[in-house]
Amino acid sequence: MWTHRSWPGQVLPAHERLRAYAGWCDAVEGNTTFYATPARETVASWAEQTDPDFRFLAKLPKVVTHERRLTGGEAELRAFLHAMEPLGPRADTLWVQLPGSFGPGDVPDLDRFLRTLPTDHRYAVEVRHPAFFTDAGAARTLTQTLGRAGAEWIPFDTTAFFRTPPTSDAEREAWTRKPRLPRRAEALTDRPVVRYLGRDDPAATVEGWQPWLDVVTGWLREGRSPTVFVHTPDNADAPDLARRFHDQVRARLPELAPLPEPTPVGPATLF
Protein backbone atom coordinates (compact mmCIF):
# COMPACT_ATOMS: atom_id res chain seq x y z
CA MET A 1 0.00 0.00 0.00
CA TRP A 2 1.09 3.63 -0.31
CA THR A 3 -1.49 5.33 1.90
CA HIS A 4 -1.31 5.40 5.70
CA ARG A 5 -2.34 8.22 8.01
CA SER A 6 1.13 8.50 9.58
CA TRP A 7 3.19 8.36 6.36
CA PRO A 8 4.73 11.28 4.48
CA GLY A 9 2.54 12.67 1.73
CA GLN A 10 -0.82 12.02 3.35
CA VAL A 11 -1.58 15.76 3.23
CA LEU A 12 -1.63 15.45 -0.56
CA PRO A 13 -4.75 14.60 -2.56
CA ALA A 14 -5.29 10.84 -2.80
CA HIS A 15 -4.30 10.75 -6.46
CA GLU A 16 -0.83 12.15 -5.64
CA ARG A 17 0.11 10.02 -2.63
CA LEU A 18 1.75 7.27 -4.64
CA ARG A 19 4.18 9.86 -6.01
CA ALA A 20 5.15 10.77 -2.45
CA TYR A 21 5.55 7.10 -1.50
CA ALA A 22 7.77 6.53 -4.55
CA GLY A 23 10.13 9.13 -3.10
CA TRP A 24 10.76 6.80 -0.17
CA CYS A 25 10.64 3.30 -1.66
CA ASP A 26 10.96 1.90 -5.17
CA ALA A 27 8.47 -0.98 -4.87
CA VAL A 28 4.98 -1.50 -3.47
CA GLU A 29 2.56 -4.34 -2.83
CA GLY A 30 -0.68 -3.93 -4.74
CA ASN A 31 -2.89 -5.56 -2.14
CA THR A 32 -6.03 -3.62 -3.08
CA THR A 33 -6.27 -5.43 -6.42
CA PHE A 34 -7.11 -8.58 -4.44
CA TYR A 35 -10.44 -7.06 -3.40
CA ALA A 36 -11.38 -5.24 -6.59
CA THR A 37 -9.81 -4.74 -9.99
CA PRO A 38 -9.25 -1.02 -10.47
CA ALA A 39 -10.31 0.91 -13.53
CA ARG A 40 -7.70 1.01 -16.27
CA GLU A 41 -7.66 4.80 -15.95
CA THR A 42 -6.77 4.48 -12.26
CA VAL A 43 -3.87 2.19 -13.08
CA ALA A 44 -2.70 4.67 -15.72
CA SER A 45 -2.52 7.32 -12.99
CA TRP A 46 -0.29 4.98 -10.97
CA ALA A 47 2.06 4.77 -13.92
CA GLU A 48 2.11 8.55 -14.26
CA GLN A 49 3.17 8.93 -10.61
CA THR A 50 6.11 6.52 -10.80
CA ASP A 51 9.28 6.00 -12.81
CA PRO A 52 9.47 3.07 -15.26
CA ASP A 53 11.79 1.13 -12.93
CA PHE A 54 9.36 1.33 -9.98
CA ARG A 55 8.08 -2.16 -9.08
CA PHE A 56 4.47 -3.09 -8.43
CA LEU A 57 3.65 -6.50 -6.95
CA ALA A 58 -0.04 -6.61 -7.88
CA LYS A 59 -2.13 -9.35 -6.27
CA LEU A 60 -4.51 -11.38 -8.43
CA PRO A 61 -8.21 -10.97 -7.57
CA LYS A 62 -9.55 -13.16 -4.77
CA VAL A 63 -12.34 -14.44 -7.03
CA VAL A 64 -9.62 -16.18 -9.05
CA THR A 65 -7.38 -17.40 -6.23
CA HIS A 66 -9.68 -17.93 -3.26
CA GLU A 67 -13.25 -18.27 -4.53
CA ARG A 68 -12.59 -20.21 -7.74
CA ARG A 69 -9.28 -21.65 -6.46
CA LEU A 70 -7.61 -21.28 -9.89
CA THR A 71 -10.14 -23.49 -11.67
CA GLY A 72 -12.29 -20.68 -13.05
CA GLY A 73 -12.47 -16.93 -13.13
CA GLU A 74 -11.07 -16.58 -16.64
CA ALA A 75 -13.13 -13.45 -17.35
CA GLU A 76 -12.04 -11.82 -14.08
CA LEU A 77 -8.41 -12.69 -14.80
CA ARG A 78 -8.61 -11.17 -18.29
CA ALA A 79 -10.14 -8.01 -16.83
CA PHE A 80 -7.36 -7.81 -14.25
CA LEU A 81 -4.59 -8.25 -16.83
CA HIS A 82 -6.20 -5.65 -19.08
CA ALA A 83 -6.40 -3.18 -16.20
CA MET A 84 -2.71 -3.68 -15.33
CA GLU A 85 -1.45 -3.00 -18.87
CA PRO A 86 -0.81 0.77 -18.35
CA LEU A 87 1.83 -0.08 -15.74
CA GLY A 88 4.05 -1.51 -18.46
CA PRO A 89 7.40 -2.60 -16.97
CA ARG A 90 6.30 -1.40 -13.53
CA ALA A 91 4.09 -4.51 -13.24
CA ASP A 92 7.25 -6.32 -12.28
CA THR A 93 5.60 -9.39 -10.81
CA LEU A 94 2.01 -10.57 -10.48
CA TRP A 95 1.28 -12.06 -7.07
CA VAL A 96 -0.72 -15.27 -6.74
CA GLN A 97 -1.60 -15.52 -3.05
CA LEU A 98 -3.36 -18.78 -2.22
CA PRO A 99 -5.59 -19.53 0.79
CA GLY A 100 -4.34 -21.58 3.72
CA SER A 101 -6.62 -24.44 2.66
CA PHE A 102 -4.85 -24.74 -0.72
CA GLY A 103 -2.64 -27.74 0.01
CA PRO A 104 -0.40 -30.27 -1.73
CA GLY A 105 -3.40 -32.03 -3.31
CA ASP A 106 -4.25 -28.79 -5.13
CA VAL A 107 -0.85 -28.35 -6.80
CA PRO A 108 -2.06 -29.86 -10.12
CA ASP A 109 -4.61 -27.03 -10.29
CA LEU A 110 -1.80 -24.53 -9.75
CA ASP A 111 0.26 -26.24 -12.44
CA ARG A 112 -2.58 -25.98 -14.96
CA PHE A 113 -3.27 -22.39 -14.00
CA LEU A 114 0.33 -21.24 -14.38
CA ARG A 115 0.49 -22.84 -17.83
CA THR A 116 -2.43 -20.66 -18.99
CA LEU A 117 -0.92 -17.33 -17.93
CA PRO A 118 0.57 -14.96 -20.51
CA THR A 119 4.34 -15.08 -20.67
CA ASP A 120 4.86 -11.31 -20.72
CA HIS A 121 4.68 -11.14 -16.92
CA ARG A 122 6.66 -12.62 -14.06
CA TYR A 123 4.66 -14.51 -11.45
CA ALA A 124 5.21 -15.24 -7.78
CA VAL A 125 3.14 -17.58 -5.64
CA GLU A 126 2.50 -17.33 -1.90
CA VAL A 127 1.26 -20.50 -0.20
CA ARG A 128 0.12 -20.77 3.40
CA HIS A 129 -0.67 -24.45 3.91
CA PRO A 130 1.69 -25.82 6.61
CA ALA A 131 2.51 -28.98 4.65
CA PHE A 132 4.51 -27.01 2.09
CA PHE A 133 6.86 -25.99 4.89
CA THR A 134 7.02 -29.23 6.90
CA ASP A 135 6.70 -31.98 4.28
CA ALA A 136 9.77 -32.30 2.04
CA GLY A 137 7.80 -34.10 -0.66
CA ALA A 138 5.12 -31.41 -0.80
CA ALA A 139 7.77 -28.68 -0.93
CA ARG A 140 9.61 -30.49 -3.73
CA THR A 141 6.45 -30.91 -5.81
CA LEU A 142 5.56 -27.25 -5.41
CA THR A 143 9.10 -26.16 -6.25
CA GLN A 144 9.09 -28.28 -9.41
CA THR A 145 5.72 -26.85 -10.45
CA LEU A 146 6.90 -23.29 -9.94
CA GLY A 147 10.18 -24.02 -11.68
CA ARG A 148 8.45 -25.26 -14.82
CA ALA A 149 6.54 -21.98 -14.99
CA GLY A 150 9.51 -19.79 -14.08
CA ALA A 151 7.53 -18.57 -11.06
CA GLU A 152 8.90 -17.52 -7.67
CA TRP A 153 7.84 -18.79 -4.23
CA ILE A 154 7.12 -15.83 -1.93
CA PRO A 155 7.97 -16.39 1.73
CA PHE A 156 5.91 -14.46 4.26
CA ASP A 157 8.21 -14.43 7.28
CA THR A 158 6.21 -14.03 10.50
CA THR A 159 8.69 -15.80 12.79
CA ALA A 160 9.82 -12.57 14.52
CA PHE A 161 6.22 -11.48 14.99
CA PHE A 162 5.16 -14.70 16.72
CA ARG A 163 8.29 -14.93 18.88
CA THR A 164 6.67 -13.16 21.86
CA PRO A 165 3.03 -12.40 22.78
CA PRO A 166 1.37 -9.29 21.32
CA THR A 167 1.63 -6.00 23.20
CA SER A 168 -0.60 -3.63 21.20
CA ASP A 169 -4.08 -3.68 19.72
CA ALA A 170 -2.66 -3.92 16.20
CA GLU A 171 -0.44 -6.82 17.21
CA ARG A 172 -3.32 -8.62 18.90
CA GLU A 173 -5.42 -8.31 15.75
CA ALA A 174 -2.59 -9.53 13.54
CA TRP A 175 -1.98 -12.42 15.96
CA THR A 176 -5.32 -13.92 14.96
CA ARG A 177 -5.01 -13.35 11.20
CA LYS A 178 -1.42 -13.84 10.09
CA PRO A 179 -0.04 -17.29 9.15
CA ARG A 180 2.36 -18.92 11.60
CA LEU A 181 4.84 -20.73 9.38
CA PRO A 182 8.58 -21.53 9.37
CA ARG A 183 10.94 -19.13 7.65
CA ARG A 184 11.83 -20.09 4.08
CA ALA A 185 14.74 -18.38 2.36
CA GLU A 186 15.40 -20.09 -0.97
CA ALA A 187 15.10 -18.26 -4.29
CA LEU A 188 13.82 -20.02 -7.41
CA THR A 189 14.34 -17.17 -9.91
CA ASP A 190 16.48 -14.10 -10.46
CA ARG A 191 13.71 -11.91 -8.93
CA PRO A 192 13.00 -13.30 -5.44
CA VAL A 193 10.36 -11.56 -3.32
CA VAL A 194 10.30 -11.47 0.50
CA ARG A 195 7.43 -10.35 2.73
CA TYR A 196 8.54 -9.77 6.32
CA LEU A 197 6.32 -8.97 9.31
CA GLY A 198 7.99 -7.43 12.34
CA ARG A 199 6.56 -5.89 15.49
CA ASP A 200 5.24 -2.43 16.32
CA ASP A 201 8.48 -1.90 18.26
CA PRO A 202 11.02 -0.85 15.59
CA ALA A 203 13.94 -2.35 17.51
CA ALA A 204 12.22 -5.75 17.57
CA THR A 205 11.49 -5.46 13.85
CA VAL A 206 15.15 -4.70 13.06
CA GLU A 207 16.35 -7.52 15.29
CA GLY A 208 13.99 -9.95 13.59
CA TRP A 209 15.15 -9.22 10.05
CA GLN A 210 18.84 -9.86 10.75
CA PRO A 211 18.82 -13.32 9.06
CA TRP A 212 17.50 -11.71 5.87
CA LEU A 213 20.51 -9.40 5.59
CA ASP A 214 22.81 -12.31 4.75
CA VAL A 215 20.21 -13.90 2.48
CA VAL A 216 19.48 -10.75 0.47
CA THR A 217 23.14 -9.77 0.25
CA GLY A 218 23.92 -13.25 -1.02
CA TRP A 219 21.21 -13.02 -3.66
CA LEU A 220 22.56 -9.70 -4.87
CA ARG A 221 26.08 -11.10 -5.11
CA GLU A 222 24.68 -13.96 -7.19
CA GLY A 223 23.27 -11.40 -9.65
CA ARG A 224 19.66 -11.68 -8.49
CA SER A 225 17.40 -8.65 -8.02
CA PRO A 226 15.33 -9.21 -4.87
CA THR A 227 12.39 -7.14 -3.65
CA VAL A 228 11.78 -6.98 0.11
CA PHE A 229 8.61 -5.67 1.73
CA VAL A 230 8.74 -4.73 5.41
CA HIS A 231 5.51 -4.80 7.41
CA THR A 232 4.57 -4.18 11.02
CA PRO A 233 1.12 -4.76 12.53
CA ASP A 234 0.28 -1.03 12.50
CA ASN A 235 2.59 -0.23 9.53
CA ALA A 236 3.19 3.24 10.99
CA ASP A 237 6.97 3.09 10.52
CA ALA A 238 7.06 0.80 7.48
CA PRO A 239 8.60 3.23 4.92
CA ASP A 240 11.35 4.27 7.32
CA LEU A 241 12.00 0.65 8.29
CA ALA A 242 12.21 -0.38 4.65
CA ARG A 243 14.88 2.26 4.10
CA ARG A 244 16.75 1.07 7.20
CA PHE A 245 16.75 -2.48 5.85
CA HIS A 246 18.08 -1.23 2.51
CA ASP A 247 20.78 0.79 4.27
CA GLN A 248 21.88 -2.25 6.27
CA VAL A 249 22.19 -4.29 3.08
CA ARG A 250 24.17 -1.44 1.47
CA ALA A 251 26.53 -1.46 4.46
CA ARG A 252 27.43 -5.01 3.42
CA LEU A 253 27.31 -4.31 -0.30
CA PRO A 254 28.29 -0.64 -0.91
CA GLU A 255 27.85 -0.92 -4.67
CA LEU A 256 24.10 -1.34 -4.20
CA ALA A 257 22.31 1.78 -5.42
CA PRO A 258 20.62 3.88 -2.72
CA LEU A 259 16.88 4.35 -2.53
CA PRO A 260 15.53 7.70 -3.78
CA GLU A 261 16.02 10.70 -1.53
CA PRO A 262 12.59 11.70 -0.19
CA THR A 263 11.23 15.08 -1.23
CA PRO A 264 9.80 17.04 1.71
CA VAL A 265 6.02 17.18 1.50
CA GLY A 266 4.11 20.00 3.15
CA PRO A 267 0.43 20.84 3.39
CA ALA A 268 -1.27 22.11 0.28
CA THR A 269 -1.46 25.89 -0.01
CA LEU A 270 -3.11 28.39 -2.33
CA PHE A 271 0.20 29.90 -3.45
Side-chain angles (χ1 to χ4, degrees):
M1 63 184 189
W2 56 81
T3 295
H4 189 284
R5 61 185 179 276
S6 67
W7 290 0
Q10 301 311 296
V11 297
L12 296 172
H15 65 276
E16 296 181 11
R17 291 174 187 167
L18 175 56
R19 193 187 311 278
Y21 172 93
W24 281 75
C25 299
D26 56 7
V28 71
E29 290 182 348
N31 192 54
T32 58
T33 57
F34 177 72
Y35 300 100
T37 295
R40 188 180 170 98
E41 293 76 16
T42 299
V43 178
S45 76
W46 299 348
E48 292 169 359
Q49 295 180 67
T50 53
D51 292 334
D53 58 354
F54 187 88
R55 297 182 183 183
F56 283 85
L57 186 74
K59 191 189 291 189
L60 266 62
K62 67 177 180 179
V63 66
V64 175
T65 57
H66 286 55
E67 296 173 15
R68 306 287 178 80
R69 298 174 66 90
L70 309 183
T71 60
E74 289 83 1
E76 290 85 355
L77 179 61
R78 285 194 300 271
F80 170 79
L81 294 172
H82 178 71
M84 294 299 110
E85 282 181 356
L87 290 178
R90 300 167 186 80
D92 181 73
T93 300
L94 299 184
W95 173 15
V96 185
Q97 185 187 77
L98 297 171
S101 60
F102 195 99
D106 299 302
V107 171
D109 292 333
L110 174 62
D111 187 34
R112 286 190 291 270
F113 177 76
L114 292 174
R115 291 174 186 269
T116 68
L117 294 175
T119 58
D120 52 349
H121 288 290
R122 298 173 182 270
Y123 300 94
V125 177
E126 180 185 340
V127 293
R128 296 186 169 189
H129 194 288
F132 291 120
F133 300 85
T134 59
D135 184 309
R140 182 169 54 252
T141 299
L142 177 60
T143 298
Q144 292 170 348
T145 296
L146 296 175
R148 284 193 295 271
E152 188 55 77
W153 180 341
I154 301 178
F156 184 23
D157 181 11
T158 61
T159 56
F161 174 70
F162 283 111
R163 191 169 296 157
T164 56
T167 59
S168 69
D169 289 343
E171 288 185 352
R172 280 185 281 274
E173 180 184 358
W175 195 268
T176 65
R177 297 188 297 107
K178 301 302 182 182
R180 190 180 304 212
L181 299 167
R183 180 187 295 119
R184 183 188 177 279
E186 291 78 36
L188 302 184
T189 71
D190 64 339
R191 294 286 187 99
V193 178
V194 175
R195 305 183 67 229
Y196 166 75
L197 176 65
R199 300 295 294 258
D200 286 337
D201 174 11
T205 298
V206 172
E207 189 278 329
W209 75 38
Q210 294 305 304
W212 286 110
L213 296 175
D214 285 337
V215 172
V216 171
T217 302
W219 285 342
L220 288 164
R221 286 177 173 151
E222 293 169 359
R224 304 180 197 263
S225 182
T227 303
V228 179
F229 295 106
V230 176
H231 293 264
T232 66
D234 67 11
N235 274 324
D237 300 312
D240 180 64
L241 286 165
R243 294 179 67 85
R244 288 176 65 180
F245 181 88
H246 189 91
D247 287 344
Q248 289 188 7
V249 174
R250 284 193 75 214
R252 298 169 179 233
L253 198 67
E255 60 267 34
L256 178 65
L259 288 173
E261 194 60 36
T263 301
V265 177
T269 67
L270 295 176
F271 305 101

